[in-house]
Amino acid sequence: ADKTVITEGESVRFHNNSDIGSYSWEFEGATPETSDNDNPTVAYHTPGIYRVKLTVTKDGVSNSKTVNNYITVNRKNHIPTDIILSSNTISGKTSVKSVIADITAVDADKDDIHTFSLEQNTDGIFAISNSKLILNKDIKSVNTREYIIEIKATDNNGGEYKKQFKLERIATAVDEPNQISITLYPNPVTGGNIYIQSNLTIDKAAIYNTNGNKVVSVVIPGGSNTIKADISALKTGTYIVQIYSNERVVTQKIIIK
């Protein structure tokens, strides 16, 4: 073969060293699975380790050779397609080293492990610890109302995705009664409906799967403090819920069992 280690979707050309008789190839896991060409080319679309068998026939006599574990097909890496913050607000009284938001990467490769880093971070105000965004400097005496950061997600195969976020600084509930508080229940949920409750008016909510596709959308004309979302059509798994209230966005996770 011209190569024995490939990525799913690639092809391999096989070379027959015999120059007599007829040939019959068998390719485990390949397309096509068989060939009678001297030097066939086949494609592998599924990760795994596969055997190859060649049978040479002359004058009614056949000789076969099988090589086990000959072709290794590695999984094709998909880079992350989105980054989600669990919150985009920060209180002016937040203490240094406090967690501001959880960071989640959306990736078609469910078993990928992601690391996160800050690519844009004004004055080093923020930092990332594992998958959490934390406050790295005291902002109590700073009058800035918005902070722009850029986060990079890197999977364990080196695939990268970057996204920019705007963090809004808000007052504490004591200083400003318009701080948003969200309750989502039941969670985990076994089907039917989930309920989203807030101290402020909720304008709309959306539920996304881990591929970043919107699967449920609820819009409330005029808004409401409590809304209901029908999730009966969703499969089991983890989903991202985004709640919109007065131009603010809060993100939470739900688990459907």
Side-chain angles (χ1 to χ4, degrees):
D2 58 353
K3 48 192 171 183
T4 58
V5 179
I6 62 171
T7 300
E8 60 179 309
E10 293 184 343
S11 297
V12 177
R13 180 173 173 80
F14 290 87
H15 303 279
N16 170 31
N17 294 324
S18 303
D19 58 0
I20 56 174
S22 60
Y23 313 102
S24 176
W25 294 85
E26 296 179 25
F27 305 106
E28 180 187 21
T31 303
E33 296 182 342
T34 61
S35 176
D36 56 6
N37 293 334
D38 290 359
N39 303 305
T41 297
V42 298
Y44 291 85
H45 299 285
T46 304
I49 301 176
Y50 301 105
R51 68 176 180 272
V52 176
K53 179 180 179 181
L54 172 62
T55 300
V56 179
T57 302
K58 183 181 180 182
D59 298 332
V61 179
S62 297
N63 291 290
S64 298
K65 181 177 181 180
T66 300
V67 181
N68 293 314
N69 304 323
Y70 187 49
I71 301 297
T72 299
V73 183
N74 294 319
R75 176 176 61 84
K76 180 180 179 180
N77 183 53
H78 299 86
I79 66 171
T81 55
D82 198 7
I83 300 173
I84 297 174
L85 284 184
S86 62
S87 175
N88 68 337
T89 60
I90 178 173
S91 166
K93 293 188 177 182
T94 300
S95 301
V96 175
K97 303 305 179 184
S98 295
V99 175
I100 299 167
D102 292 321
I103 310 170
T104 305
V106 177
D107 195 326
D109 298 327
K110 306 301 182 184
D111 56 347
D112 269 3
I113 298 173
H114 301 92
T115 57
F116 301 97
S117 58
L118 281 166
E119 297 293 293
Q120 181 180 345
N121 181 22
T122 304
D123 298 325
I125 292 175
F126 304 98
I128 290 178
S129 177
N130 296 322
S131 58
K132 299 182 183 297
L133 181 69
I134 64 174
L135 184 64
N136 197 45
K137 288 186 178 181
D138 191 353
I139 61 170
K140 294 175 183 177
S141 60
V142 179
N143 293 323
T144 304
R145 298 292 296 177
E146 294 180 348
Y147 302 91
I148 304 299
I149 62 172
E150 185 176 73
I151 297 176
K152 179 174 74 174
T154 305
D155 65 24
N156 48 315
N157 292 292
E160 298 180 352
Y161 178 84
K162 298 179 183 180
K163 185 175 181 179
Q164 196 173 81
F165 295 89
K166 180 174 71 174
L167 302 179
E168 178 188 2
R169 175 177 169 172
I170 61 174
T172 62
V174 173
D175 299 324
E176 182 181 313
N178 291 330
Q179 184 179 15
I180 188 170
S181 173
I182 296 292
T183 302
L184 191 154
Y185 62 93
N187 189 19
V189 60
T190 55
N193 300 307
I194 61 166
Y195 296 86
I196 305 168
Q197 192 173 49
S198 175
N199 61 321
L200 300 182
T201 299
I202 302 173
D203 304 310
K204 60 181 179 179
I207 301 177
Y208 298 83
N209 60 24
T210 53
N211 290 324
N213 299 317
K214 184 188 294 185
V215 291
V216 174
S217 179
V218 180
V219 179
I220 307 297
S224 175
N225 292 95
T226 302
I227 64 174
K228 178 175 70 174
D230 182 1
I231 53 126
S232 58
L234 301 185
K235 297 179 180 179
T236 58
T238 300
Y239 293 82
I240 305 297
V241 182
Q242 289 191 337
I243 303 105
Y244 298 81
S245 175
N246 193 26
E247 297 184 353
R248 295 174 183 170
V249 182
V250 174
T251 302
Q252 293 191 10
K253 290 183 181 179
I254 62 166
I255 298 174
I256 300 178
K257 292 186 175 181

